[in-house]
Amino acid sequence: QVQLVESGGGLVQPGGSLRLSCAASGSIFGVYTMGWYRQAPGKEREFVTSITSGGVTDSAESVKGRFTISRDNAKNAVYLQMNSLKPEDTGLYYCFADCKVTWYSTYNDYWGQGTQVTVSS
């Protein structure tokens, strides 16, 4: 089994910063893409940003220039530095990882439980 645990959410004022962390553990042979989605109240879950094991990143237009994703492959961990936060960034942030558990298995998506980010004055 693969487990993802997020941390670092909280309440911050508009314009402030937060750093989220996520670590994958368990029976892991390899991890390809890791990243973040978020879900605001009453809305569907949306893609935020991702990073491959080779360091290639992708981000939603709404967060470009404000959010930075990074990764520690040795620790199977991913980080999200969020700056210039806006009230519309409020939501439950979910970490995901594309993992394979043996050398012959395919990559499958695994998800964390989510960490709440609230941007409000």
Side-chain angles (χ1 to χ4, degrees):
Q1 279 286 13
V2 177
Q3 298 84 39
L4 272 67
V5 177
E6 304 108 332
S7 62
L11 172 64
V12 64
Q13 292 185 343
S17 299
L18 279 176
R19 178 178 167 88
L20 306 183
S21 300
C22 172
S25 62
S27 181
I28 299 173
F29 181 82
V31 183
Y32 183 52
T33 302
M34 299 184 77
W36 300 88
Y37 276 69
R38 67 187 180 189
Q39 187 167 20
K43 295 187 177 181
E44 295 187 353
R45 190 177 297 191
E46 65 173 1
F47 170 75
V48 178
T49 186
S50 65
I51 184 169
T52 68
S53 56
V56 177
T57 62
D58 187 21
S59 298
E61 286 296 324
S62 60
V63 305
K64 286 182 178 179
R66 301 187 298 122
F67 291 11
T68 302
I69 190 170
S70 60
R71 177 172 172 166
D72 186 333
N73 289 332
K75 296 181 178 179
N76 289 329
V78 65
Y79 309 97
L80 181 61
Q81 178 65 43
M82 304 185 292
N83 298 327
S84 302
L85 282 161
K86 304 175 182 179
E88 51 263 43
D89 294 318
T90 295
L92 195 57
Y93 281 67
Y94 295 93
C95 172
F96 76 89
D98 296 331
C99 303
K100 58 190 307 184
V101 295
T102 65
W103 66 269
Y104 53 84
S105 62
T106 59
Y107 283 95
N108 291 301
D109 288 343
Y110 294 86
W111 294 85
Q113 292 298 308
T115 185
Q116 179 66 37
V117 171
T118 302
V119 185
S120 175
S121 55

